[in-house]
Amino acid sequence: MNNFLTNCCCILLSSVAARRKGVFFRMHAEQEALRLGLVGWVKNTYHDTVVGQVQGPADKVQQMREWLATKGSPFCRIDKAQFNNERPISKLEHEKFRISY
């Protein structure tokens, strides 16, 4: 567990633009984050994009980043993914991964 906290990072998902209406993108993002053991949140915006924050072991955060940028939910097409504010953290700021409304 100590190694988990010393190798922890956070990224802010500033935007995923995808053809995603009705494809349950947030639900699939939540499932992937939980599968990877990550915490944070994801939500839709009024600009038809998805934003969020992902925290956990750096290698797992990188896997989630790649998933968000290239795969997403089964029936969506990712047009563009932007990430910013990647930084190391000393402790997790969230207890679980959730869909925010």
Side-chain angles (χ1 to χ4, degrees):
M1 185 67 140
N2 194 10
N3 187 31
F4 178 83
L5 293 178
T6 59
N7 190 25
C8 213
C9 82
C10 170
I11 60 168
L12 181 65
L13 170 62
S14 58
S15 170
V16 170
R19 308 237 192 278
R20 59 166 182 74
K21 295 252 187 225
V23 296
F24 304 100
F25 189 92
R26 292 173 304 159
M27 181 188 74
H28 287 279
E30 179 185 42
Q31 288 175 350
E32 183 67 8
L34 293 172
R35 184 185 75 77
L36 293 170
L38 300 170
V39 299
W41 55 272
V42 66
K43 73 176 185 176
N44 288 341
T45 72
Y46 291 110
H47 306 289
D48 289 331
T49 62
V50 175
V51 296
Q53 186 180 80
V54 178
Q55 297 179 353
D59 62 328
K60 299 295 185 183
V61 169
Q62 181 60 32
Q63 288 178 41
M64 184 69 176
R65 180 182 185 143
E66 290 172 17
W67 184 90
L68 288 164
T70 61
K71 188 170 182 179
S73 61
F75 300 106
C76 78
R77 186 184 92 207
I78 307 295
D79 293 328
K80 180 179 172 184
Q82 293 179 307
F83 304 90
N84 60 31
N85 198 28
E86 186 166 349
R87 59 188 165 82
I89 55 175
S90 60
K91 67 176 190 167
L92 299 175
E93 299 163 349
H94 304 277
E95 292 182 14
K96 62 181 183 175
F97 197 91
R98 64 182 175 80
I99 296 172
S100 184
Y101 298 94

